[in-house]
Structure formats: C-alpha cells, structure tokens
Amino acid sequence: MPGVDFAISDADKTGLMSCSHGVDRSKGLDLVLHTPGGDVAATESIIDYLHSLYDGNIRAIVPQLAMSGGTLMAVSCRDIVMGRQSSLGPVDPQIGHWAAQGVIEEFKRAVDETTKNPASIPMWNQVIQKYWPTLITNCEHAINWSDDLLRTYLANCMFADLSEAERNPKIEAISDLLGKQATSKNHARHINPTKAKAAGLRIVDLEGDQKLQDYVLTLHHALTITMSETRSVKIIENDQGSSYVTAAVEV
C-alpha cells in the first residue's frame, strides 16, 4: 500500500506490551518474526524490553523474512529457527535511502582521487555537493552503533555460554556477513539458512520438527491472507488471543 509504514517503530512496543501481559513468562518466548526491519533505536528498545521480561530465554522463528532490524532481533535470541524458504538480511545502517557505509566509502574515494588527480575535482564536486552538513559524521555514528549492537547481542545472548576465545571468531564472521556492505553488496540481500549457519549463527532447521513446521507455516499463511484481504499492515499477537493490529486508513 503506498504511503504505509510497515517498518519496526516505537509504536510496536505498545503491541508487545499488550501481548506480554498476563502470560507465563517462565516458559520463555517464541518470537515469530516476519518484518522488513525499521528504526534502529526502536529495535534496540524493543529488544531490551523483551529481554527484561524473559531474561534472555527467547527463540526467534523466521517463517520467511526477518530483515535489517528484524535480523538484529533474531540474533539477540538464543537461536533462530529457519526453513529453507527463510531469510535474514544485512544490518548495515541506512541514512534515509543511503547506505551509511557506502557514503563513507564513496567520500574516501573522492578524497583519494581528487588528491591524486585534481582534474577530477569538478566531477566529484557534483557528487559531494549533494551531501548535507553532518552526513559523514552521522554515517560514522550509525555504523558504530549498528556494529556495537550486533556484537553485543551475539556476545550476551546467542553466544553467552561460550568463552571469549570461542565466541570472538564467530562474532567476527557474522559481523562480516551481516554488518559489512562490502560483503553483502546490498541492504536487501537475502541470507539463507545455509549461509547463516556457515557464518556461525545458531540456526535450527524448521524442517527438523514437522509439527512445529506445520504450526509456523499455517500461522504465517493465515497472517499473509489476513493482510492481503483486510487493511491490516501490522499484526502483533500471542497464543492467548491478545492482538494489536495496525490498519491502513484510506485518505
């Protein structure tokens, strides 16, 4: 739907608060994620909130897509259940529609080329004049923030049971796969379970539990139909019947 925001936002915490009320938290949380991602600050806040409720006993289940901020939410869990059709995505930060790492890389290239060849200054001036004040600094801060979150969640959650010597190589490999645009090439890159496992993420095959697979895919298909046949654009729901639905309003 044109103009509809499907992204993770601060408003989603209200839905999670509603759906976490009155449930038996001692059982932990199965967090079924299907999201394109969204605001980094909201994602961080939601992860902190869920961990405060469930003390880190959270399993992510990805029936199809958990991209960007959704991937950050997934790696903050103890493991991630994925099917053959499931994908995670890069978590390199975006400033508006610009890739922060791409901006920094391009700026460094401009400095290098104009220093070596002053005749290229007019060409690069056409590019750099599109930058606004503080863009470079904002990009650097966003890159550091995203990388810190990724590494912290992996160290404190998924790999909390490992020694520093065991977890550090895994974190480096995962950071390279998920956090570097030079590796992913594009923020929309779909990372399948095989690649996620190879990097060291704790991936559980959905096909390994037929009963769970039937439940997860039935739920996913039901929600997909609901969104296609109604004006619902976000659904946060628990197994007790509590739900928080955001609907598109025709203007």
Side-chain angles (χ1 to χ4, degrees):
M1 298 178 187
V4 174
D5 185 6
F6 298 92
I8 297 170
S9 68
D10 283 319
D12 298 332
K13 186 185 284 188
T14 303
L16 290 165
M17 290 169 63
S18 175
C19 291
S20 296
H21 178 70
V23 301
D24 184 358
R25 297 174 192 160
S26 66
K27 295 180 179 180
L29 173 66
D30 275 340
L31 182 63
V32 182
L33 292 169
H34 182 62
T35 173
D39 182 72
V40 177
T43 299
E44 179 184 23
S45 179
I46 288 170
I47 291 171
D48 290 346
Y49 172 67
L50 291 177
H51 275 268
S52 73
L53 294 181
Y54 296 95
D55 195 28
N57 186 17
I58 306 173
R59 176 175 68 165
I61 301 175
V62 182
Q64 185 178 351
L65 295 172
M67 305 293 284
S68 191
T71 296
L72 276 179
M73 294 179 73
V75 302
S76 76
C77 300
R78 53 185 172 81
D79 49 38
I80 308 170
V81 180
M82 298 178 70
R84 293 187 182 94
Q85 73 288 341
S86 305
S87 297
L88 301 176
V91 301
D92 61 297
Q94 310 296 293
I95 304 293
H97 296 293
W98 296 16
Q101 292 180 12
V103 171
I104 298 298
E105 183 178 339
E106 183 178 67
F107 186 74
K108 288 180 178 178
R109 179 182 171 187
V111 171
D112 182 60
E113 290 190 8
T114 54
T115 300
K116 293 179 179 177
N117 178 22
S120 67
I121 291 176
M123 180 197 73
W124 277 112
N125 185 55
Q126 296 299 312
V127 176
I128 303 302
Q129 69 180 358
K130 296 178 183 178
Y131 293 4
W132 59 85
T134 75
L135 174 62
I136 300 298
T137 300
N138 286 346
C139 285
E140 290 173 337
H141 288 330
I143 292 167
N144 292 334
W145 185 14
S146 179
D147 184 65
D148 181 64
L149 289 178
L150 177 62
R151 292 171 180 273
T152 298
Y153 293 145
L154 289 169
N156 295 343
C157 304
M158 186 171 286
F159 302 139
D161 60 331
L162 301 181
S163 68
E164 186 174 345
E166 291 175 308
R167 67 172 178 256
N168 282 352
K170 292 180 179 289
I171 292 174
E172 288 301 323
I174 294 166
S175 176
D176 184 73
L177 175 68
L178 299 179
K180 294 182 180 178
Q181 189 194 34
T183 301
S184 65
K185 310 303 182 187
N186 191 290
H187 192 65
R189 189 75 175 265
H190 287 32
I191 297 167
N192 64 34
T194 301
K195 292 178 181 177
K197 282 183 187 178
L201 286 168
R202 286 181 174 169
I203 305 297
V204 177
D205 293 329
L206 181 60
E207 294 80 9
D209 185 332
Q210 188 60 52
K211 188 174 182 181
L212 177 62
Q213 182 182 32
D214 289 344
Y215 284 147
V216 169
L217 295 184
T218 297
L219 172 63
H220 177 64
H221 293 150
L223 291 173
T224 299
I225 292 170
T226 299
M227 289 186 170
S228 66
E229 297 298 321
T230 70
R231 303 197 68 83
S232 303
V233 294
K234 284 186 184 179
I235 300 175
I236 302 173
E237 193 170 23
N238 68 14
D239 64 332
Q240 304 298 311
S242 296
S243 60
Y244 184 89
V245 181
T246 302
V249 178
E250 188 172 356
V251 178

